[in-house]
Amino acid sequence: MKTLLSLFASVFLLGNVAFAQVKWSVDPAHTNARFEVKHLGIAFVDGQFKKLEGAVETKDANNFDAAVVNFDIDVNSIDTRVEARDTHLKSDDFFSAEKFSKMTLKNATLKSAGKGKFKLTGDLTIKDVTKKVTFDVVQNNGIITDPWGKTRAGFTATTSINRKEFNINYNDKLPSGVDAVAPTVAITVNVEVVKN
């Protein structure tokens, strides 16, 4: 009987290990969320959000397939290197940052799309709008142990959105009809995560 109980206990413990989630934290010092949008139809303006945080959960420590990702960005940390432009972007013409201070990606799931490649699909919330968005993701150089013994991984995620679908409706046009600020915004997020 003792042997049978020991066997059940071992199976139970192994089952718990198999289903345990491995937790990773986003390293904000080595992570950036960047955007690029066409200006006056002739050039691109880019910028970034300087304050962000996030977490990733994987089913094991060596594979990010089916990982769950959550991300928060401080809208007030926007930086386009021009203070007047940053102030305008925080206004109600664009992000309404005083009212909607956070941009989030919630319950996003990574799905393998080939060696070192993934699709990341989750709920992106900007202002008062939440929509499903899919990023193309590349894992950069697998999983490493850094010089201080920590386990790290890095990814680059890209997508594009129509800002007007998120109630960012600024609509100045040139006499020719060209948008002063194009509706399409390209987004690139470079993420470094550290295993907890």
Side-chain angles (χ1 to χ4, degrees):
M1 184 69 175
K2 228 180 234 189
T3 306
L4 188 58
L5 286 173
S6 296
L7 180 62
F8 279 134
S10 298
V11 169
F12 178 75
L13 287 171
L14 285 171
N16 279 346
V17 169
F19 290 107
Q21 297 291 305
V22 180
K23 295 189 176 182
W24 306 71
S25 295
V26 169
D27 179 356
H30 300 101
T31 297
N32 58 74
R34 307 191 62 80
F35 61 89
E36 186 178 73
V37 61
K38 189 173 280 189
H39 179 242
L40 302 178
I42 58 168
F44 285 90
V45 170
D46 69 305
Q48 66 173 326
F49 295 94
K50 296 167 73 174
K51 292 182 183 178
L52 44 82
E53 58 186 21
V56 178
E57 288 191 357
T58 58
K59 292 183 177 178
D60 67 66
N62 300 306
N63 184 1
F64 282 87
D65 189 29
V68 177
V69 178
N70 289 285
F71 221 88
D72 290 343
I73 291 174
D74 181 351
V75 174
N76 283 291
S77 72
I78 196 167
D79 178 17
T80 65
R81 303 176 305 282
V82 178
E83 187 176 349
R85 182 166 58 209
D86 295 344
T87 299
H88 190 198
L89 288 169
K90 293 175 195 177
S91 76
D92 289 341
D93 280 344
F94 291 93
F95 286 106
S96 302
E98 188 173 333
K99 186 176 181 182
F100 304 106
S101 61
K102 293 284 186 186
M103 185 186 311
T104 63
L105 181 68
K106 296 297 184 188
N107 302 314
T109 304
L110 274 173
K111 294 291 184 188
S112 180
K115 188 175 180 181
K117 296 180 180 180
F118 300 88
K119 297 286 187 182
L120 176 67
T121 301
D123 297 320
L124 177 64
T125 300
I126 301 174
K127 296 179 77 170
D128 55 348
V129 177
T130 300
K131 297 181 76 68
K132 286 273 186 216
V133 172
T134 297
F135 292 78
D136 293 314
V137 179
V138 175
Q139 186 173 358
N140 303 315
N141 201 31
I143 298 170
I144 65 147
T145 301
D146 71 18
W148 305 275
K150 293 183 177 179
T151 303
R152 293 178 179 265
F155 303 85
T156 298
T158 57
T159 194
S160 63
I161 62 170
N162 185 326
R163 62 179 174 82
K164 293 184 178 182
E165 293 180 355
F166 290 89
N167 281 346
I168 301 175
N169 293 316
Y170 183 72
N171 202 33
D172 273 8
K173 291 183 181 292
L174 301 181
S176 63
V178 171
D179 291 302
V181 178
T184 301
V185 182
I187 299 170
T188 300
V189 184
N190 293 296
V191 181
E192 192 169 305
V193 295
V194 186
K195 189 169 76 169
N196 293 352

